[in-house]
Amino acid sequence: MGRCKIGAGRLAVLLALAVAVPAAGVPLYRRARALLAGWDGEEEALSDRIEWKLSLALWLGGGALILALFLLTAAYSGGFVMLESPGGAGRFLLSIGAFLAVLAETVLLQQKCVDAAKRMNPEKTASVYDMKFQRKWVESCDEAEKLLMGRCAFRAFRVTNGVCTALALMLAVAALALGTGILPSLVVCLIWLVN
């Protein structure tokens, strides 16, 4: 019975997330779009405000998608036992539906934000629905944007190395002291190797 209650709580958070993404992301996008409508193409301060709002909406959508995937996984962490409990099959289908809703909302929000960014930068032609979107977007960037991406990538590399080092050490101690096994360390080390 305890697992079903925990699964239902995770489902409730997942459903709340499906409502929160458009509730928070759409107003950010609309404010950016309204600012874009009044932008003369010259004023840097206004351009920065528009880009900040669009970036914030993109971060919100990306973070929500990662959290939704985690919540979906956490909801199923009890295994197939949840399907045998009363209402378990309904929670199973509802959690899949809520995750798919967050996924669709995030993709649509990203598409709207990218389209707004393309209106600001007509040289950008990539579509969010293109499988090679990231490569095409980077190719359309100027040298200053590519330099900024390089700096950000190096900073992300350094932060990821630091976090993976700390996690690997903590998980090594946890494996010894708590018997957590090798899987958590393996996952962290795989991420570290990919980095």
Side-chain angles (χ1 to χ4, degrees):
M1 187 70 168
R3 278 190 188 191
C4 295
K5 287 182 182 176
I6 292 172
R10 292 174 187 150
L11 174 60
V13 175
L14 189 55
L15 289 170
L17 190 61
V19 172
V21 169
V26 171
L28 278 170
Y29 163 72
R30 285 188 176 160
R31 283 187 290 241
R33 189 180 65 188
L35 289 172
L36 182 58
W39 184 53
D40 61 3
E42 298 294 324
E43 188 180 343
E44 286 294 321
L46 184 57
S47 171
D48 290 344
R49 284 180 52 208
I50 295 168
E51 287 179 357
W52 171 252
K53 289 187 184 308
L54 292 174
S55 294
L56 198 56
L58 288 170
W59 274 87
L60 174 85
L65 186 58
I66 292 168
L67 182 58
L69 183 57
F70 171 75
L71 290 170
L72 182 69
T73 305
Y76 297 159
S77 64
F80 289 107
V81 174
M82 80 177 274
L83 292 174
E84 298 167 1
S85 67
R91 281 194 304 276
F92 179 80
L93 293 174
L94 199 53
S95 58
I96 290 174
F99 173 75
L100 291 175
V102 171
L103 177 64
E105 294 163 354
T106 301
V107 169
L108 289 173
L109 184 61
Q110 287 176 344
Q111 182 258 324
K112 293 294 187 185
C113 290
V114 167
D115 286 349
K118 286 176 9 182
R119 281 194 299 271
M120 290 179 66
N121 304 294
E123 70 276 4
K124 310 272 190 216
T125 58
S127 168
V128 172
Y129 303 113
D130 188 348
M131 294 301 286
K132 298 178 181 177
F133 167 75
Q134 292 178 342
R135 184 178 57 83
K136 289 180 179 180
W137 189 267
V138 170
E139 287 174 358
S140 67
C141 291
D142 62 20
E143 292 304 315
E145 290 172 318
K146 288 179 181 177
L147 181 63
L148 181 61
M149 281 186 247
R151 287 181 181 161
C152 292
F154 182 68
R155 180 175 283 165
F157 171 76
R158 284 184 22 216
V159 168
T160 304
N161 275 337
V163 169
C164 285
T165 300
L167 285 174
L169 291 173
M170 287 189 303
L171 290 171
V173 171
L176 178 64
L178 304 173
T180 57
I182 192 172
L183 186 60
S185 280
L186 176 65
V187 170
V188 169
C189 289
L190 283 175
I191 293 169
W192 202 359
L193 283 171
V194 169
N195 188 41

